[in-house]
Amino acid sequence: AEMARVLADSNHVPLHRLSLLVHSVSIMHKSLDSMPEDENWKALMRNSTNLRVYIMAFDVKSDDMLRILKPSIPLERIHFDSYITCVSGAVVDLISRQYDKFLTHFILMNDVIDMSGFPDLSDNRNEDPLVLLAWRCTRLSLLAVHGYTVWAHNLIAIARLRGSDLKVLEVTEESIDFDQGELADQ
């Protein structure tokens, strides 16, 4: 929060890009209470109107991400990489709602070894958070998913929604799943 206040001062050259690394180890040793609040991001954006933010999150719990992701962050790129925890569908949904104007890159990687299969972000809902992300984030040009279940029909929906604007759609073969009705049609 203090860094955001200093950078928001009009005496500083406006920022164009800010990369933030959030790691579970650093969260264990420091409180999230010092993270910038929405007012801090708004003040920073007043001085740096072209600012875009890139966040890399390593093994960060979904609850902690919900505390970090403030509405006024001009989030352009986000990269989740997990070895212990999994990102929740609620976090993906929040990102698609809050950052629909700026988000261009979304990378979701899960290296959790779980014999019961890959986590499914849709939580057995009718709406898949990744499809909603592709629908809401009209500037999305890169979507990479590794180690999470992506249903084949949702993968097709994502490709259709973004069309040729989606330059990279990268999904691990093992992540693609078919429901039984689709398999019978194949």
Side-chain angles (χ1 to χ4, degrees):
E2 183 60 29
M3 179 190 71
R5 279 191 290 277
V6 169
L7 293 173
D9 190 326
S10 61
N11 294 333
H12 288 88
V13 174
L15 290 176
H16 289 280
R17 187 155 319 277
L18 180 62
S19 297
L20 302 174
L21 173 63
V22 184
H23 198 288
S24 60
V25 174
S26 60
I27 291 174
M28 284 190 303
H29 297 293
K30 287 189 174 188
S31 168
L32 287 176
D33 296 337
S34 63
M35 290 297 295
E37 293 297 326
D38 205 46
E39 304 80 46
N40 302 117
W41 286 108
K42 286 178 183 176
L44 185 55
M45 284 297 295
R46 279 192 292 275
N47 187 46
S48 301
T49 56
N50 293 323
L51 176 65
R52 297 298 176 263
V53 174
Y54 175 24
I55 295 178
M56 290 190 70
F58 292 100
D59 273 325
V60 179
K61 295 177 187 170
S62 290
D63 292 346
D64 290 334
M65 283 309 300
L66 291 172
R67 291 182 60 200
I68 292 167
L69 295 171
K70 303 299 181 193
S72 296
I73 297 174
L75 186 65
E76 182 179 60
R77 298 172 182 221
I78 191 156
H79 179 150
F80 290 103
D81 204 332
S82 302
Y83 294 92
I84 301 168
T85 64
C86 294
V87 172
S88 70
V91 169
V92 177
D93 189 55
L94 178 77
I95 288 168
S96 72
R97 290 177 192 276
Q98 287 187 170
Y99 310 115
D100 58 324
K101 292 177 180 66
F102 299 114
L103 193 70
T104 62
H105 290 65
F106 187 86
I107 301 170
L108 187 59
M109 299 178 72
N110 176 21
D111 295 321
V112 177
I113 299 172
D114 184 356
M115 296 306 165
S116 63
F118 292 137
D120 185 356
L121 293 172
S122 62
D123 295 327
N124 298 321
R125 299 181 297 167
N126 291 333
E127 301 159 340
D128 184 285
L130 292 173
V131 174
L132 291 174
L133 181 92
W135 177 57
R136 291 178 180 138
C137 299
T138 57
R139 303 178 91 209
L140 191 68
S141 63
L142 182 145
L143 176 61
V145 180
H146 302 281
Y148 287 85
T149 297
V150 180
W151 294 93
H153 61 275
N154 288 336
L155 194 57
I156 293 167
I158 290 166
R160 286 183 176 162
L161 282 166
R162 292 285 37 96
S164 62
D165 292 336
L166 189 61
K167 304 296 182 212
V168 177
L169 177 58
E170 184 178 296
V171 180
T172 310
E173 182 179 355
E174 294 80 17
S175 292
I176 301 172
D177 207 347
F178 298 86
D179 59 28
Q180 294 305 314
E182 285 181 279
L183 283 176
D185 294 338
Q186 295 293 324

